[in-house]
Amino acid sequence: MTSVRARKRHPHDDAPDTSAEFRRIDELPDGPEKDALRQRVICAWMPMAERIAATYRNRGETGEDLKQVAMLGLVKAVNRYESGRGTAFESYAVPTIVGEVKRHFRDHLWSLHVPRRVQELRQKVRAAIQELTRTPDGRRPSVEDVARHTGLSEADVRTGMGALDSFAALSLDAELTGAADGYSLVDTLGAPEPDYDRIVDREAVKPKLNALPERERRILYLRFFCDMTQSRIADQLGMSQMHVSRLINRTCARIGERVLADAA
């Protein structure tokens, strides 16, 4: 009995034959007729673009958005294709569409700007780790294992591994692993220390205070360090409260001017 081996179908065996349309597009001048013909060709090849978009699902982008990006790549391919070069449209369109989808992932889905080389290393390392972990022991491959598998240097593998978890930023409100009391990442971050500014101000004012006459220095000491009221200071020094108030205001203003003059 003779067996007939079924021919393995190409992913795009149902691709339309639009060679005649492309030749006509090359012949037509720019205008409505040429635009309409391009539109018909785009519609004919849309199933192929949709299949390409489907291969990138489950990577953090919605299927509808991926489809739109793939369609944009198809439009670019139709507009730029030249039938006279002898290359089949499919051979030109597939890399164009795939490139558009990859560019979309590179430019729009990373939370932080990561150099293209690092993104490519991440992809190679990620694919290698997936392949190498399909072993009976399920052991996570080492840097050396990935380097041998990919032909990359160990430094490049480490760079790629460092970018594996960099595709999306971690929320500051995310609870830390093992934290049972809601302790989040934001709780580990530092905050500006106001006492540092107070130390700077104190050191800037100190020599100006030491240079004051004894009476003015004593008045400031009683007011700001002993927290005495102006009336109590006036009684203690034998002067009017109004005079104490004028001395405090005048002395503080003079110190402030001198500190600012030194800073300038």
Side-chain angles (χ1 to χ4, degrees):
M1 179 177 180
T2 304
S3 62
V4 179
R5 180 178 298 177
R7 183 174 64 91
K8 183 179 180 181
R9 288 178 58 81
H10 187 277
H12 308 300
D13 274 350
D14 59 345
D17 182 5
T18 54
S19 54
E21 284 83 353
F22 276 118
R23 287 194 297 270
R24 181 60 178 158
I25 289 173
D26 290 342
E27 296 170 355
L28 287 172
D30 292 338
E33 184 179 358
K34 188 172 186 175
D35 292 340
L37 189 54
R38 277 177 173 161
Q39 188 64 39
R40 288 201 299 272
V41 171
I42 290 171
C43 291
W45 285 94
M46 284 176 60
M48 180 191 72
E50 291 177 355
R51 283 195 295 271
I52 293 175
T55 62
Y56 290 89
R57 61 182 180 274
N58 300 326
R59 298 193 185 185
E61 184 63 295
T62 65
E64 189 61 32
D65 286 343
L66 285 175
K67 188 185 298 183
Q68 292 297 324
V69 175
M71 293 307 167
L72 176 60
L74 174 61
V75 171
K76 290 182 177 181
V78 171
N79 290 340
R80 298 171 182 173
Y81 177 66
E82 297 178 8
S83 60
R85 292 182 177 272
T87 302
F89 174 70
E90 182 181 349
S91 300
Y92 177 77
V94 171
T96 303
I97 297 171
V98 170
E100 195 68 30
V101 173
K102 289 183 176 180
R103 189 178 303 109
H104 175 76
F105 277 101
R106 184 180 71 241
D107 297 341
H108 298 284
L109 295 187
W110 286 76
S111 298
L112 299 175
H113 175 70
V114 177
R116 181 174 182 178
R117 176 177 176 275
V118 176
Q119 294 183 24
E120 293 173 347
L121 288 174
R122 174 186 179 273
Q123 290 298 104
K124 292 179 181 179
V125 169
R126 178 173 174 270
I129 291 176
Q130 291 177 342
E131 293 175 7
L132 293 174
T133 50
R134 294 170 187 164
T135 57
D137 58 5
R139 181 181 62 87
R140 183 176 176 82
S142 64
V143 172
E144 294 78 8
D145 295 333
V146 176
R148 283 194 300 269
H149 186 78
T150 60
L152 297 172
S153 67
E154 292 185 8
D156 284 344
V157 171
R158 290 190 182 92
T159 299
M161 285 182 168
L164 285 175
D165 298 324
S166 302
F167 188 74
L170 181 65
S171 171
L172 292 178
D173 295 324
E175 186 173 320
L176 295 179
T177 303
D181 56 353
Y183 195 68
S184 62
L185 183 60
V186 70
D187 296 320
T188 68
L189 302 180
E193 175 53 66
D195 285 340
Y196 291 156
D197 291 334
R198 188 175 295 114
I199 292 173
V200 173
D201 293 341
R202 182 179 298 172
E203 292 302 311
V205 168
K206 186 183 296 185
K208 312 305 178 187
L209 291 174
N210 292 334
L212 289 175
E214 174 62 25
R215 185 182 64 170
E216 295 179 10
R217 188 165 64 248
R218 179 170 176 75
I219 290 174
L220 293 183
Y221 174 77
L222 295 174
R223 178 70 187 92
F224 296 108
F225 290 87
C226 298
D227 200 26
M228 292 178 60
T229 63
Q230 293 182 9
S231 58
R232 287 186 60 193
I233 296 173
D235 292 341
Q236 184 169 330
L237 298 182
M239 59 180 67
S240 68
Q241 179 183 343
M242 184 65 68
H243 189 47
V244 172
S245 177
R246 284 198 298 268
L247 286 174
I248 292 175
N249 291 335
R250 185 176 62 195
T251 303
C252 289
R254 187 164 65 248
I255 290 175
E257 291 172 357
R258 292 175 180 175
V259 170
L260 292 176
D262 290 347

